[in-house]
Amino acid sequence: MLEARKLSRLTLGPVDLSLEAGEVVALRGASGSGKTLLMRALADLDPCRGDVLLDDVERRAFFAPDWRKAVAWVPAEAGWWSDTVIEHFTDWQVALPLIEELGLSPDCGGWQVSRASTGERQRLALVRAISQQPKVLLLDEPTSGLDRQSVAQVETLIARLAGAGASGLWATHDEDQAARVASRALLIENGKLAAAA
């Protein structure tokens, strides 16, 4: 379980939030409302105030890289720091079944990153995070650049992971998607978090 207590940063918060094991929660709100701020704060990517716990262990008890493996943020536009796709993965054999599950070519490891489309890079970034076997996925509009078939593949994959006990916080502007992927929805407005209607 992931829990945040009085979490705040810049215009965000204070926010209280809990995610149960196997639960996917949709996060909705206008652009600039604080969705990304919240996810980056949960992932320990930006300095913030408040407490965040994973399975009742405070974040400060983790080494930062270990926390970011366990609580993985998948941004809408991920960073790429090497020339080829495979260089961004610690274990290609672990990633390969996920790559194929998301409809990507099994030989995409040899691609130049610049060759991959926006949607391909988005799916590869998701696989990169999932292959680290996180307990919590912070998904920042993970299907914004995808076609309908790819969206369905991502939704199916996240549902499968949730069924195995992973948790997810999924930012989306799509109300229909929120209803499909999540057991409940939260709305963030002006940095404040509330249950969505």
Side-chain angles (χ1 to χ4, degrees), residues 69-83:
K69 272 187 188 176
V71 180
W73 180 52
V74 183
E77 294 182 27
W80 302 92
W81 52 88
S82 296
D83 290 337

Side-chain angles (χ1 to χ4, degrees), residues 85-86 92 96 99-100 104-112 115:
V85 168
I86 199 168
W92 186 249
L96 197 53
I99 281 168
E100 295 185 272
L104 292 158
S105 171
D107 68 357
C108 67
W111 293 358
Q112 294 288 309
R115 175 203 159 167

Side-chain angles (χ1 to χ4, degrees), residues 34-121:
K35 297 186 300 295
T36 298
L37 270 178
L38 174 58
M39 291 188 172
R40 287 184 60 87
L42 291 168
D44 196 28
L45 293 169
D46 296 320
C48 56
R49 292 180 300 282
D51 297 312
V52 185
L53 300 89
L54 181 63
D55 296 333
D56 296 321
V57 179
E58 292 194 6
R59 180 168 61 188
R60 65 179 67 92
F62 287 78
F63 289 112
D66 293 338
W67 178 268
R68 291 173 193 142
K69 272 187 188 176
V71 180
W73 180 52
V74 183
E77 294 182 27
W80 302 92
W81 52 88
S82 296
D83 290 337
T84 61
V85 168
I86 199 168
E87 292 176 272
H88 297 89
F89 292 81
T90 54
D91 190 332
W92 186 249
Q93 293 309 309
V94 169
L96 197 53
L98 297 166
I99 281 168
E100 295 185 272
E101 187 173 349
L102 291 183
L104 292 158
S105 171
D107 68 357
C108 67
W111 293 358
Q112 294 288 309
V113 170
S114 58
R115 175 203 159 167
S117 70
T118 299
E120 287 167 334
R121 287 195 304 272

Side-chain angles (χ1 to χ4, degrees), residues 140-160:
D140 198 349
E141 299 184 44
T143 60
S144 59
L146 304 186
D147 59 49
R148 186 174 297 176
Q149 179 180 349
S150 297
V151 168
Q153 290 168 330
V154 169
E155 291 178 358
T156 299
L157 173 58
I158 298 304
R160 180 172 67 75

Side-chain angles (χ1 to χ4, degrees), residues 2-19 25-30 32-52 59 67 71-74 136-140 168-172 184-195:
L2 182 73
E3 185 177 6
R5 302 172 184 161
K6 300 190 183 326
L7 188 65
S8 62
R9 165 160 173 79
L10 301 175
T11 59
L12 171 70
V15 163
D16 293 322
L17 170 71
S18 65
L19 291 176
V25 174
L27 181 62
R28 299 190 42 234
S33 61
K35 297 186 300 295
T36 298
L37 270 178
L38 174 58
M39 291 188 172
R40 287 184 60 87
L42 291 168
D44 196 28
L45 293 169
D46 296 320
C48 56
R49 292 180 300 282
D51 297 312
V52 185
R59 180 168 61 188
W67 178 268
V71 180
W73 180 52
V74 183
V136 179
L137 280 164
L138 306 171
L139 304 166
D140 198 349
L169 183 63
W170 186 317
T172 180
R184 61 187 170 104
L186 298 173
L187 181 65
I188 191 164
E189 289 183 304
N190 300 319
K192 304 297 183 192
L193 197 62

